[in-house]
Amino acid sequence: MKKFIYLRVMHKSALHIALMALLVGLFAAWIGEQRARAYPFRAVFPGRDTLAAENGGPAAGRDSPKPAASDFNSLGSRPATANSGSDSPAAGLGADSLAPQAATSAVNADTPAQNSGQAPVPSTLNGLAASSDNLSVVAATPDSISSIPAVHSDSFAAASPDSASLPAASPDSLAAATSDSLRIRSLLQDSTISGIESLRLVMADSLGYDSRRIDSLLRDSLWMRSMGLDSIFAPKVYSKAELRALRRDSTSKVRAAAKDRRDSIRWSIPRILTSTYIPDSVRYTRMFAFNSNKYVNEYRPAKIDTTINEWYTEYPYAKEDVNATTLGPVGSATLYYNYFKRAPYEQFKAFEPYISWSYTPETMLQYNTKAPYTVLAYWGTLFNFQNQEEINVRFIHTQNITPKLNLSFQYFGYQMGGYLVNENTHDKTLIVGGNYLGRKYVAQAGFIHQRVTRTENGGIRNLSDFRDTTIDTKAIPVNLSSAKNQLVRDIVYLKHSYGIPFRFGASKARKEKEAALRELGHIADSLAVLENSSSVELGVNEGIMDEINGVGSPEQIQARRDSLLALARRDRYVRDSLLAADTALIIRRDSLLAILRAPLDSADAARDSVRDGYGPMLSFGHNFEMSFFNRMYTDKITDDVGRNFYNNVFYLDPTSSNDSTRVFALENKVYVRLQPWARDAVVGHIDGGVGHLYQSIYGFSPSMYLSGNRNVNFNNLYVYALVGGKFRKYLEWGASGQYHFLGYYQNDFNIDANVAVSFYPFRNRKDPVTLRARFMTELREPDWYSQHYHSNHFWWDNSFGKTSNTVIQASVEIPKWKFDVSANYSLVKNMLYYDTLGIVRQHSDLMSILTVTLHKDFKVWWLRFDNNLMFQLSSNNDVLPLPMFSLHCRWYFEHDLVKNVLKMQLGVDGTWNLAYYAPAWNPALSTFQLQNREKIGSAPYIDLFANFQWRRITLFVKCTNVAMGAPSRDMFSAYGYIKPVRSFKIGIHWPFYIR
C-alpha cells in the first residue's frame, strides 16, 4: 500500500512538472514571435539598414518599414525560387559592388536543415558565413577542398555613404562565386525554401550555430546602430604588433587542436602488454606488482592492497610478525619475535636491525600500470610535545611511459623525537626504480638509498625509575648523554634477461589472430579520429563568433575568418570521409574481436603458445648489484655511568669514540634458463648460473698505524642452480642450490626445496586447501666483522668455524575459513651470538628451535576477531632467549555507513607475551646482545582505534597504550627501552589511481 501511494505521489509530481514546462515553453514562444514581428528581416539584411542610415534614409529602428521587393534588387541579390538550378546565373552575386568575396567552407554532414523540414544538406555543400555587416556566400565542392582561395583587398566590401564609389568585385571573387554557385545549385534539393529563409538556413548550418542566436546578435547590433551608437562599432586600427599577436594566437589554436586530436588517437590505441615474462592472468590487468629472487630474473607476483585492512597498523614489522623487540621510537632497531623471520643480512650486519623499515632488491616492488598510480600517506602524533612528536610520511608514484616501460618513485620517512632523552630517530628511504617488460627482453633496475640517524642513550639506568614513578619520561636518567649512530646504505641493481622461444611453425588460427590484432589497432586509430574530429571544428566556430562580436577592420576580420573556415573545412572533410566508413569499421572491428576471442584447439595451443610466454624457450640473463654500506659511531663519555655502561673499556681514547666501518660490494651473476615445455608444466624451468662477488671491507686495525688506512679485498666465485614446475593447480614445487668454490666464503653451500599441494573440497572450486612443506640446509662462514673487529670499546680477532643450519617447515592454509597454521623446526650448530658484555661468541653445541604459529579470523554479525598466536621453544635460553607464548589480537566492529562508499571500524588492537630475558641494545656495535638481569615484557599493550575508508581514502584515529600502568608499568620492549607511551595518533592513506 505504501508503495502504491508513493507511486501516485510521484506520478502527480511528474504531471505538475510537465505542465509547468509546457506553460513556460508557450510563453517563451510567444515572446519570440513578438520580437520577430518587431524586427522583421532585419537580422538577415544588415547591409540595407546600414546603407540607408548612412545615406540619410530612415534609421533601422523599431519603426523602420518592411523592405519592399525592389529592396532585394538594390542590394544586388534576389530571392531564390523553386527553379533555381544550374541554368541560372549567379543570382546577382557580384553584380553589385556590395557583394563580398566568397570564402570556402564545408557544411557539417550531420547538421539538420533548420526552419525547413527538409533532408540535411550533404557535407560537400556550401554554407554562408555571416558577420554583423556583410553576407558572404561560401562555396565549396569536392575538387576545391584541398585548396584555400586567396584573400584579396576587396574580399570584404565595407558599406560607404557613396555607393557609386565602392570598388567593384575582383574577377577572382566573381569566378569563385559563379563556378561554385552553379555546382551548388545543381545539388540543392530544397525547393520549398524561399529567399530569406534559404539564406538563413545555409548561414546557420555553415557556422554550426542556431540561426535564432545569430539573428539576435545581428538584431541587437542594428538596434544599437539605430540609436546612434555607431561609435561603439567604429573599426579599430590594429598595429603591426597586434596583427602578429593575432596570427600567433590563430596558429597556436590550430596547433593545440591538432595536438588534441593526436593525443586522443594515441590514448585510444589498445595498450596490450605482450611479454614472455608474465602469465596470461595479468596481461590485461590494469595494475599489478611483482618482484624477483636473488638468483634469476623471475616473476613473483606481489599484493597491492589499498583497502582499510592493509593500513590498520602503521608499523611494518607488525604486518610480518606477531610482535617485535624495538627501541621505542618509530624507525629504530627491530628484532622479530619469530626466530624464522630473522633473515640475516650478511652483506653488512650492522644494518640488519633496520631492514624491516626499508627494502632490498629482492623485496622492492616493481609496478606495471595502465594509468598512473600515486599513494600519499601520513601518520603521527600531532598533539604531542615537540620533543616527542612522531612524523611519518610515505609517497609512491608509478606510471607506465609505454605499455612495457614503467618508472616509479618511492619515499618513506620515519622521524621521532623519542620518549626518553637522547633518542631522536630519523630513518629515511628513497627508491627510484623502473622495469621494461618486452616480449623477449625483460629488465628491472633500481636505486635504494637508506639513511638512519639516531642519538643513542644506552637505555634507562634503573628500570624502577619508570616502573615506580609517574614522572615525565624525558626526565628519566639514561646511560649515555652524547652518543650517535649514522648508517647509510646505497644499492644500485639491474636484472635483465632475453628469451628465445622455440617456434615450430605457427598455426593458421594463430596467424589469423596476430593479423587481426594488428588490424584492430589501425581501426582503433580511425575510430579515434572519428570520435575526436569535431574538436577543431568547435574551436573554429567559437573563433567565428568571437569575430562577429569583436571589432576590427573588415579586411582583418575577413582574413582571420577565412583562415578559421579553411581549418574547419579540412576537419569536416576528414570526419565526413570517416562517417561514410563508420558502419563498415564497426562491423569489421566486431569480426576481428570474434577472431581474437575464438579459442585455439588443444594442438594449436600446445604447439604455438609462445606468444603468451608458454612453450619451449631458452633465456639468457644477467644480474648486477653494486652496494655501499657505511656506519659511523661517535660518543663522548666523561661520567662514571657511561664508563660503566661499556664496562670501563676504552682501547683507543679514554673519553671519546669515532668508530667507522665500510663495505663496498660488487656482484654479477650470469645464468641460463631452459623452459623445456611450458611455464606451468611439471618441469617448468631449469636454471644454471655462475656468480662473482667482490668485497672491499674497511675496519680499523692496529697495523694501520704503520701502513695507513687500507681495505681488505675478496673475490668470491660460486655456482647455483634452480629447478621448478607445477601440475595444473594442484601441485607446485621448486628447488635451488648454491656452492662457493673460491674466496672468503669458499665451501659455503645452500640447498632449499619446497612443495605445495592444493585440493578443493568445497563447493566453490576457487577456494583451495593448501599444504606446504620446505626443507633447507646451509653452511656459512661468519661475516668479516664477527671474525675481526677493532674499536674503542670492543676488540677481537676470532677464528670461528662455519655455522650449520637445517630448517624443516610445514603449514596448512584454508583461505575460506581465514585459517592457517604452521610449524617450523631448526637445528643449528656453531651459532653466533653477543654475550652480556657485547662480545661476539660462538656456541659449538647443537641447538634446536621450535616455532608454531596460528592465525584465525572470526566473524559474528558486524563483529570481527582477528587473532595471531605464536608458541616458541629454544633448547638453550642462555644463548637464544625467545618469548614462549605471544599473541596479537585485533577485535573490532565493522560496518558500511554508506554501502560501497564509507566503511568504519571501531575496536582494539592488543599484543601480549610472557616475560622473558629480552635482549639489550649495544649502540657501539649496532646490534642486540644478551642480558640476564631480569625478565621483562609481560604487561599487555592495547590501542584503541577508529578506521574509516571513504572510497579510496583511509583515515585512522588511534589512542596508543590506553592500558599504560595497568596491571603494571612493565612497558619494556628491549631491556632499558620503553614501548610507546599513551598518545593520540592520526593518519591518512590516500591512493590515486583509475580503476
Side-chain angles (χ1 to χ4, degrees):
M1 186 62 183
K2 291 182 179 180
K3 183 176 181 181
F4 175 74
I5 294 174
Y6 173 75
L7 292 176
R8 284 186 59 86
V9 172
M10 293 300 294
H11 181 64
K12 290 183 178 181
S13 299
L15 288 177
H16 292 165
I17 294 172
L19 289 175
M20 290 295 294
L22 180 60
L23 291 176
V24 172
L26 291 176
F27 180 73
W30 181 79
I31 292 296
E33 182 180 0
Q34 297 304 315
R35 289 183 60 85
R37 291 179 179 179
Y39 305 98
F41 307 111
R42 197 162 294 124
V44 183
F45 292 99
R48 176 189 183 279
D49 296 322
T50 305
L51 183 60
E54 293 176 350
N55 285 314
R62 295 182 181 270
D63 56 350
S64 299
K66 278 190 176 182
S70 59
D71 292 334
F72 295 103
N73 294 329
S74 67
L75 290 174
S77 62
R78 59 185 178 86
T81 63
N83 296 325
S84 298
S86 59
D87 56 344
S88 301
L93 294 174
D96 197 295
S97 60
L98 294 178
Q101 180 194 1
T104 307
S105 175
V107 180
N108 192 336
D110 54 1
T111 303
Q114 300 182 22
N115 304 326
S116 65
Q118 302 299 318
V121 182
S123 61
T124 56
L125 298 185
N126 308 323
L128 289 180
S131 70
S132 61
D133 289 322
N134 78 303
L135 279 174
S136 296
V137 179
V138 185
T141 58
D143 59 351
S144 63
I145 286 176
S146 60
S147 63
I148 304 174
V151 179
H152 301 282
S153 61
D154 63 341
S155 62
F156 195 101
S160 173
D162 186 5
S163 60
S165 63
L166 294 174
S170 66
D172 290 342
S173 63
L174 289 174
T178 303
S179 60
D180 290 343
S181 299
L182 292 176
R183 298 191 183 189
I184 293 173
R185 293 182 178 276
S186 65
L187 293 174
L188 280 174
Q189 302 297 325
D190 189 356
S191 60
T192 62
I193 304 175
S194 61
I196 300 168
E197 293 297 329
S198 176
L199 294 177
R200 292 176 63 183
L201 166 67
V202 180
M203 178 188 67
D205 286 348
S206 65
L207 294 178
Y209 281 85
D210 188 10
S211 61
R212 287 174 296 178
R213 179 182 176 187
I214 300 177
D215 285 350
S216 176
L217 291 171
L218 300 180
R219 188 161 52 241
D220 293 343
S221 171
L222 296 177
W223 179 81
M224 295 183 72
R225 287 174 180 265
S226 67
M227 299 299 293
L229 302 178
D230 286 342
S231 59
I232 298 178
F233 298 92
K236 177 183 177 181
V237 179
Y238 285 84
S239 64
K240 292 184 179 180
E242 290 174 329
L243 290 174
R244 286 194 297 269
L246 289 173
R247 284 195 296 270
R248 285 195 302 269
D249 292 343
S250 177
T251 304
S252 63
K253 288 181 181 180
V254 173
R255 290 177 178 174
K259 182 180 181 300
D260 291 341
R261 183 165 53 189
R262 288 195 303 269
D263 290 345
S264 63
I265 295 172
R266 179 167 61 90
W267 287 107
S268 297
I269 297 175
R271 298 171 65 84
I272 300 175
L273 179 62
T274 56
S275 174
T276 58
Y277 184 75
I278 61 174
D280 274 351
S281 58
V282 299
R283 173 175 294 183
Y284 302 98
T285 303
R286 192 163 191 84
M287 178 175 60
F288 63 91
F290 60 95
N291 50 33
S292 182
N293 62 28
K294 62 181 181 180
Y295 292 116
V296 297
N297 189 11
E298 181 181 52
Y299 174 81
R300 291 188 173 183
K303 182 181 180 183
I304 303 178
D305 193 349
T306 59
T307 64
I308 191 172
N309 290 320
E310 177 66 12
W311 293 96
Y312 69 87
T313 177
E314 67 275 23
Y315 299 119
Y317 63 81
K319 302 176 184 180
E320 300 293 333
D321 196 4
V322 173
N323 206 346
T325 300
T326 68
L327 304 185
V330 64
S332 59
T334 301
L335 181 67
Y336 289 125
Y337 276 9
N338 190 336
Y339 170 79
F340 296 91
K341 297 283 187 179
R342 301 176 181 179
Y345 199 68
E346 299 294 343
Q347 292 176 296
F348 195 70
K349 205 163 187 178
F351 242 111
E352 188 174 301
Y354 298 97
I355 289 299
S356 62
W357 301 97
S358 185
Y359 291 91
T360 65
E362 288 72 38
T363 60
M364 174 183 167
L365 293 185
Q366 297 283 353
Y367 296 88
N368 187 277
T369 65
K370 302 296 188 297
Y373 173 65
T374 303
V375 175
L376 300 176
Y378 163 83
W379 62 96
T381 55
L382 287 177
F383 306 105
N384 265 18
F385 295 108
Q386 186 175 2
N387 59 359
Q388 293 184 351
E389 185 178 2
E390 177 182 331
I391 300 176
N392 309 288
V393 294
R394 178 180 183 181
F395 173 76
I396 299 175
H397 177 76
T398 179
Q399 70 179 77
N400 273 58
I401 308 303
T402 68
K404 300 178 181 180
L405 178 63
N406 175 273
L407 298 179
S408 63
F409 177 87
Q410 304 179 48
Y411 175 79
F412 308 92
Y414 305 96
Q415 176 179 339
M416 189 174 185
Y419 306 103
L420 304 174
V421 68
N422 298 331
E423 60 174 8
N424 294 333
T425 304
H426 299 260
D427 192 333
K428 302 177 181 179
T429 299
L430 173 66
I431 298 176
V432 179
N435 64 84
Y436 179 83
L437 302 180
R439 183 180 177 187
K440 297 181 180 179
Y441 179 74
V442 177
Q444 303 173 38
F447 168 72
I448 303 174
H449 170 78
Q450 183 181 10
R451 176 181 292 271
V452 180
T453 303
R454 175 177 167 82
T455 56
E456 304 283 0
N457 58 22
I460 299 174
R461 295 182 189 177
N462 300 310
L463 302 190
S464 59
D465 292 341
F466 177 77
R467 285 177 176 155
D468 303 334
T469 63
T470 58
I471 62 175
D472 182 20
T473 57
K474 287 290 186 179
I476 298 176
V478 294
N479 289 303
L480 300 176
S481 59
S482 181
K484 186 178 182 179
N485 256 315
Q486 288 183 316
L487 298 94
V488 177
R489 178 174 67 109
D490 292 319
I491 299 178
V492 178
Y493 72 93
L494 170 65
K495 301 178 180 181
H496 56 142
S497 60
Y498 186 84
I500 303 176
F502 298 140
R503 304 193 68 172
F504 303 105
S507 64
K508 182 179 179 180
R510 175 66 67 180
K511 291 180 179 179
E512 289 180 356
K513 286 181 178 289
E514 293 178 354
L517 186 63
R518 290 192 297 269
E519 187 177 352
L520 190 62
H522 297 301
I523 291 179
D525 294 348
S526 301
L527 292 177
V529 174
L530 176 64
E531 293 173 359
N532 297 280
S533 60
S534 61
S535 59
V536 177
E537 174 193 342
L538 292 178
V540 170
N541 288 338
E542 292 175 1
I544 292 174
M545 293 307 300
D546 291 342
E547 302 303 337
I548 290 176
N549 297 324
V551 293
S553 67
E555 291 81 2
Q556 294 163 354
I557 293 176
Q558 181 67 30
R560 292 195 300 271
R561 189 185 61 180
D562 288 347
S563 63
L564 292 171
L565 288 174
L567 180 61
R569 181 190 61 188
R570 290 195 298 270
D571 188 66
R572 288 177 179 177
Y573 177 70
V574 172
R575 191 179 66 173
D576 292 343
S577 63
L578 290 172
L579 279 171
D582 184 8
T583 304
L585 286 174
I586 294 177
I587 294 175
R588 181 56 180 163
R589 181 194 62 184
D590 294 341
S591 64
L592 293 174
L593 289 174
I595 294 176
L596 291 175
R597 292 166 181 163
L600 296 172
D601 57 39
S602 58
D604 290 337
R607 181 178 67 252
D608 187 36
S609 56
V610 181
R611 186 177 181 88
D612 299 332
Y614 295 88
M617 185 167 58
L618 182 66
S619 300
F620 299 91
H622 169 239
N623 289 0
F624 165 82
E625 183 176 330
M626 182 173 62
S627 308
F628 174 78
F629 305 92
N630 181 30
R631 186 180 75 91
M632 174 71 69
Y633 171 76
T634 58
D635 66 22
K636 184 173 290 187
I637 302 175
T638 58
D639 58 321
D640 292 338
V641 175
R643 299 182 67 87
N644 292 333
F645 180 78
Y646 285 118
N647 303 304
N648 205 21
V649 175
F650 292 84
Y651 289 103
L652 301 175
D653 191 286
T655 59
S656 61
S657 302
N658 194 0
D659 302 332
S660 176
T661 54
R662 296 188 299 271
V663 171
F664 173 78
L666 184 65
E667 187 171 13
N668 286 277
K669 305 185 188 76
V670 180
Y671 62 90
V672 178
R673 162 167 285 200
L674 174 63
Q675 187 171 288
W677 294 282
R679 177 183 298 166
D680 58 352
V682 175
V683 180
H685 63 89
I686 302 174
D687 310 326
V690 58
H692 171 261
L693 173 62
Y694 169 78
Q695 290 178 307
S696 181
I697 304 172
Y698 171 80
F700 175 76
S701 175
S703 61
M704 293 183 182
Y705 286 118
L706 299 177
S707 61
N709 292 343
R710 58 184 176 85
N711 292 1
V712 180
N713 303 320
F714 296 102
N715 286 281
N716 305 277
L717 289 174
Y718 57 90
V719 294
Y720 62 92
L722 299 91
V723 62
K726 61 186 302 184
F727 176 71
R728 297 182 181 177
K729 58 181 180 179
Y730 304 106
L731 174 67
E732 187 172 356
W733 67 280
S736 64
Q738 181 186 33
Y739 177 74
H740 289 258
F741 60 88
L742 183 66
Y744 178 80
Y745 298 105
Q746 186 174 3
N747 295 325
D748 284 8
F749 71 87
N750 175 282
I751 298 175
D752 195 343
N754 60 84
V755 63
V757 179
S758 300
F759 55 96
Y760 300 81
F762 304 108
R763 180 174 300 178
N764 186 353
R765 304 294 292 177
K766 294 182 180 180
D767 296 325
V769 174
T770 304
L771 307 178
R772 299 184 185 274
R774 179 186 178 218
F775 172 82
M776 189 273 293
T777 182
E778 66 176 357
L779 190 67
R780 175 163 286 274
E781 183 76 14
D783 67 288
W784 172 260
Y785 293 113
S786 296
Q787 298 279 32
H788 310 280
Y789 186 71
H790 308 91
S791 67
N792 195 29
H793 301 298
F794 299 96
W795 196 287
W796 59 69
D797 285 288
N798 299 315
S799 56
F800 293 145
K802 295 181 182 294
T803 300
S804 172
N805 185 21
T806 301
V807 176
I808 300 175
Q809 297 177 331
S811 65
V812 178
E813 301 174 4
I814 309 178
K816 182 179 178 62
W817 294 347
K818 295 184 179 181
F819 169 84
D820 61 79
V821 60
S822 65
N824 307 273
Y825 181 76
S826 176
L827 284 174
V828 184
K829 184 177 178 58
N830 293 336
M831 174 180 283
L832 296 179
Y833 66 97
Y834 291 85
D835 64 11
T836 57
L837 299 177
I839 300 174
V840 63
R841 305 290 184 185
Q842 188 173 55
H843 183 68
S844 59
D845 295 337
L846 195 65
M847 285 183 55
S848 62
I849 303 99
L850 173 65
T851 300
V852 178
T853 61
L854 174 66
H855 170 78
K856 179 68 178 79
D857 296 345
F858 297 93
K859 177 181 178 182
V860 180
W861 188 52
W862 288 339
L863 300 178
R864 306 288 189 273
F865 303 93
D866 301 345
N867 305 282
N868 292 276
L869 297 86
M870 183 174 65
F871 174 80
Q872 288 193 116
L873 282 178
S874 172
S875 63
N876 192 334
N877 286 316
D878 294 333
V879 175
L880 181 65
L882 295 172
M884 180 178 292
F885 185 77
S886 55
L887 59 85
H888 180 189
C889 296
R890 182 170 173 258
W891 300 345
Y892 57 96
F893 168 85
E894 181 179 275
H895 180 60
D896 287 338
L897 298 180
V898 180
K899 189 174 182 180
N900 299 326
V901 176
L902 179 60
K903 179 180 290 187
M904 176 189 68
Q905 291 181 348
L906 300 174
V908 297
D909 187 291
T911 59
W912 176 82
N913 60 269
L914 287 176
Y916 74 112
Y917 289 105
W921 174 249
N922 192 317
L925 297 175
S926 187
T927 187
F928 288 96
Q929 68 178 45
L930 297 177
Q931 67 86 19
N932 55 12
R933 297 180 181 179
E934 60 178 304
K935 295 183 177 181
I936 60 174
S938 60
Y941 189 88
I942 301 175
D943 297 338
L944 292 179
F945 67 87
N947 295 341
F948 301 90
Q949 183 171 17
W950 180 62
R951 296 189 182 273
R952 301 173 185 173
I953 306 174
T954 299
L955 303 170
F956 79 81
V957 180
K958 178 181 293 188
C959 182
T960 63
N961 200 358
V962 294
M964 183 175 179
S968 67
R969 287 178 61 88
D970 189 15
M971 304 303 302
F972 296 98
S973 180
Y975 183 80
Y977 294 87
I978 62 175
K979 297 179 180 179
V981 299
R982 185 184 296 121
S983 59
F984 183 76
K985 186 177 294 187
I986 63 173
I988 180 173
H989 173 255
W990 195 344
F992 299 85
Y993 61 96
I994 300 175
R995 295 185 183 275

